[in-house]
Amino acid sequence: MRNLTLKQLKAVQAIASQGKIVNAAKLLALSPPAVTIQLGQLEEEVGLSLFDRTANGMRPTAAGLAFVDAAQVIEERLRLLGDQMDAIKGVRAGSLKLGVVSTAKYFAPRMMAAFMKEYPDIDMRLAIGNRAETIASLKNHDVDIALMGRPAKDVPVRASAFGDHPLVIIAPPDHPLAKERDISKERIAEEHFLIRERGSGTRISLEIFLSEVPGRIDELGVEMGSNETIKQAVMAGLGIAFISAHTIAFEVETGRLVILDVVGMPIRRQWFAVMRTDRAISPAMATFHDFLMRKGAMYLPLFGKLYPEARVGSRE
């Protein structure tokens, strides 16, 4: 391993991501023969094949995957080193890759804008995905910090809560239950639900909430791929939905949706800032984490009251 070079590691990364030598060469701004030579030298040094040559392209072997992982760790460590040198110089600079679950896209841009105004020399990039995609980004070191409602369990992470995350059931204003109070779990379970994909944090919370109603979660409802689609479907009268209150602030304020007064609702969760425990924390990461702990809750959508028409004493 002493003869290993960064160029060789970058070549392995590029081949793994692109699947073909010619595409990897374009990504690296090298000639295909140069990439082939680097790979050949590395395989000779290791004494193992790093890729299987298939009709569908180059697929990394177990040894190849180990090199890809090592390349990601080294790349990350070098970026951290640069940030640390800036910190030593007294420069509040660096870069930060922020991943957020799709529900958080309703407040993440405002939060980012406030942070970047306070720390203009920190370069930020934002990646939005569903829960599975965001967890995969953490696994692959594609993001430094992730914002989500439920910390990942299959990745070694440290999670810090920075704000409340209420989950509610919504309906169109003309729904028969719109003016009802203290709707029972059994009654709401009779309704037609519009739900997120499997693995979604809100779907898991709904399954837990309805689990006491026999047979209800066997046919939970019609699956839809985004909060926006669900909101439009509810407004169109296609059903009701269990959703983050932070995604519907505008529609509730403008009277296009109502929050149903269901016993046991809202379910109060929290928003978490999640980082891997097996990586060093850069100055930029530490600065953003501190910002979230101090000011993160300020940028979450607010409601005057979740249930403005509730009778006195029945709700806060």
Side-chain angles (χ1 to χ4, degrees):
M1 295 296 101
R2 290 185 177 181
N3 295 322
L4 183 67
T5 68
L6 289 175
K7 288 184 178 180
Q8 290 171 338
L9 286 174
K10 286 184 177 296
V12 172
Q13 269 187 305
I15 296 169
S17 68
Q18 301 300 309
K20 294 183 179 180
I21 293 286
V22 62
N23 294 341
K26 288 180 181 178
L27 182 65
L28 297 170
L30 297 172
S31 66
V35 175
T36 301
I37 290 171
Q38 288 179 352
L39 177 60
Q41 290 174 338
L42 186 53
E43 289 183 323
E44 184 177 353
E45 172 74 18
V46 177
L48 293 168
S49 293
L50 302 186
F51 291 90
D52 289 325
R53 281 72 171 171
T54 73
N56 295 322
M58 308 278 282
R59 292 185 177 179
T61 61
L65 290 173
F67 269 89
V68 170
D69 185 60
Q72 290 175 332
V73 171
I74 291 171
E75 184 176 75
E76 183 180 285
R77 190 64 185 84
L78 288 173
R79 184 168 65 86
L80 173 59
L81 179 62
D83 288 350
Q84 288 174 327
M85 293 304 101
D86 284 337
I88 291 171
K89 295 174 186 175
V91 178
R92 281 190 153 180
S95 60
L96 182 70
K97 296 177 290 186
L98 180 65
V100 304
V101 293
S102 53
T103 301
K105 71 182 181 181
Y106 294 91
F107 62 81
R110 290 178 58 242
M111 187 179 288
M112 280 182 62
F115 177 77
M116 294 172 72
K117 184 176 181 179
E118 192 168 334
Y119 302 97
D121 294 324
I122 294 180
D123 177 48
M124 288 192 73
R125 284 183 287 163
L126 176 65
I128 299 173
N130 60 30
R131 177 176 168 79
E133 291 167 341
T134 302
I135 291 175
S137 294
L138 276 172
K139 283 184 177 179
N140 298 331
H141 298 270
D142 292 331
V143 297
D144 299 315
I145 297 179
L147 305 185
M148 57 178 58
R150 295 171 56 251
K153 293 183 178 180
D154 53 349
V155 185
V157 298
R158 58 173 65 90
S160 304
F162 65 87
D164 286 338
H165 183 197
L167 302 170
V168 298
I169 293 180
I170 57 170
D174 59 353
H175 192 279
L177 296 178
K179 295 183 179 180
E180 292 292 321
R181 291 292 166 260
D182 298 322
I183 303 165
S184 70
K185 183 181 298 187
E186 291 73 22
R187 173 63 185 89
I188 203 67
E190 298 172 5
E191 293 295 312
H192 180 71
F193 277 85
L194 307 173
I195 58 176
R196 288 293 303 271
E197 72 281 357
R198 291 186 182 276
S200 160
T202 51
R203 177 166 175 163
I204 291 170
S205 293
L206 178 61
E207 290 172 346
I208 293 171
F209 181 73
L210 294 177
S211 61
E212 296 177 2
V213 181
R216 185 59 183 87
I217 63 173
D218 296 336
E219 295 182 10
L220 198 57
V222 175
E223 187 173 304
M224 295 188 173
S226 72
N227 289 320
E228 285 302 314
T229 303
I230 287 176
K231 288 194 296 183
Q232 292 298 323
V234 172
M235 286 187 282
L238 296 182
I240 65 173
F242 178 72
I243 199 167
S244 165
H246 290 148
T247 69
I248 49 130
F250 176 75
E251 289 81 5
V252 170
E253 289 170 2
T254 55
R256 302 177 70 191
L257 289 171
V258 295
I259 298 172
L260 297 183
D261 184 16
V262 179
V263 174
M265 294 280 174
I267 294 176
R268 296 191 180 277
R269 297 288 186 255
Q270 290 180 305
W271 283 111
F272 292 91
V274 179
M275 297 182 284
R276 293 183 64 119
T277 58
D278 57 355
R279 61 159 293 173
I281 299 176
S282 71
M285 290 170 63
T287 302
F288 184 70
H289 183 270
D290 176 68
F291 173 85
L292 281 179
M293 296 304 103
R294 291 185 293 109
K295 299 182 178 181
M298 294 170 51
Y299 299 98
L300 299 176
L302 298 174
F303 292 88
K305 292 181 180 178
L306 283 177
Y307 301 99
E309 297 179 8
R311 66 175 180 268
V312 175
S314 64
R315 299 274 184 201
E316 291 183 0

